[in-house]
Amino acid sequence: MAERPFPNHLHYLLTKYVLDHGHVPSLDHLAQMADCDEETLARGLQDLAAMRGVILEPASLRVWSLHPFSMTPTAHWVSVGDQGWWANCAWCSLAIGAALRQEVTITTSDGAERETLQFTADGRSTSRPDLLMHFPYPPARWWDNPYCPCGNILFFSSEQRIEEWSKRHGRPKGAILEMPKALALADLWFGDYAMPDWTRKSPAQAMAIFEELGLDPEFWRL
């Protein structure tokens, strides 16, 4: 078997640690886990960030986001028993269940406003199939500033709530996915994120997923 690229190996080590501990390891500990020196680790983390496998804190090697996990508080809390993680957005909260391949409990709110939403989901089903997931910005915009587009991917109880939310907060009304399709998107995109052989999806692979799910090519074009 060919040796795995070092950034991909780092992604696996980080993901496994976050799943087990709820946060990223210190840089010293990560270097020990990877059996490498500080210079090699720094280069590997920078390469992983360049391929968008991780987001680093500005002017730092500390991990800010390891999709679907956020290392800072968000409006989406995902738990299994006593374990829990912050998800970057609604899509990422479903993705944690897909990556774990087990049922999770998601605690969030309707449009990140006052009404609490708590429900279960796994890679294929949910206790709230009536909910909607809203993407205000198309994929081509996601990396303009990953936290702004990602942070606006939210759950809603109705399309009317999306209309009202978009007007109230000055955000565009974009793509709306019903939960079965949202779950399928999370599973196809994130189902391999906790696996040792994870690789970053190419634009062609991403477009193939969007096409498979029948998503609007105008909105989902990369």
Side-chain angles (χ1 to χ4, degrees):
M1 180 182 292
E3 185 177 351
R4 297 286 296 155
F6 186 58
N8 296 41
H9 181 55
L10 281 181
H11 183 274
Y12 172 67
L13 293 176
L14 284 166
T15 301
K16 188 175 186 306
Y17 193 93
V18 169
L19 283 172
D20 291 342
H21 300 279
H23 59 86
V24 293
S26 67
L27 293 176
D28 287 344
H29 192 178
L30 182 58
Q32 293 175 10
M33 293 166 60
D35 192 21
C36 68
D37 56 35
E38 293 181 4
E39 183 178 349
T40 302
L41 177 65
R43 187 166 56 250
L45 285 171
Q46 289 163 349
D47 288 345
L48 185 58
M51 60 190 279
R52 297 175 177 172
V54 71
I55 301 174
L56 301 178
E57 293 180 2
S60 171
L61 292 175
R62 184 166 175 81
V63 175
W64 194 0
S65 174
L66 176 71
H67 284 86
F69 306 99
S70 173
M71 299 302 107
T72 57
T74 71
H76 305 275
W77 179 248
V78 181
S79 58
V80 177
D82 294 333
Q83 288 184 292
W85 308 268
W86 288 305
N88 294 284
C89 64
W91 184 21
C92 286
S93 68
L94 295 179
I96 292 176
L100 286 170
R101 299 194 176 279
Q102 66 182 101
E103 185 178 84
V104 298
T105 297
I106 297 169
T107 304
T108 183
S109 54
D110 198 340
E113 297 180 340
R114 68 174 65 89
E115 294 88 354
T116 299
L117 298 174
Q118 187 174 76
F119 57 96
T120 59
D122 56 26
R124 299 181 181 277
S125 62
T126 175
S127 61
R128 287 295 306 270
D130 58 303
L131 294 177
L132 302 171
M133 191 163 68
H134 178 229
F135 292 78
Y137 301 97
R141 293 280 313 278
W142 288 351
W143 289 95
D144 292 355
N145 172 350
Y147 264 87
C148 177
C150 191
N152 283 278
I153 301 172
L154 302 170
F155 292 111
F156 289 87
S157 58
S158 68
E159 189 165 352
Q160 181 179 345
R161 290 298 301 268
I162 296 174
E163 294 270 9
E164 295 168 350
W165 180 92
S166 297
K167 292 177 182 177
R168 182 161 55 251
H169 298 293
R171 303 293 185 184
K173 182 182 177 184
I176 300 172
L177 299 188
E178 296 181 348
M179 287 296 278
K181 192 160 288 190
L183 286 163
L185 178 60
D187 186 50
L188 289 170
W189 194 280
F190 288 100
D192 64 345
Y193 264 51
M195 296 181 179
D197 59 352
W198 170 87
T199 57
R200 178 73 181 174
K201 289 176 179 59
S202 68
Q205 289 172 319
M207 289 301 297
I209 290 173
F210 302 154
E211 184 176 353
E212 178 180 343
L213 294 175
L215 302 181
D216 180 1
E218 288 300 314
F219 183 89
W220 293 90
R221 180 182 295 116
L222 291 171

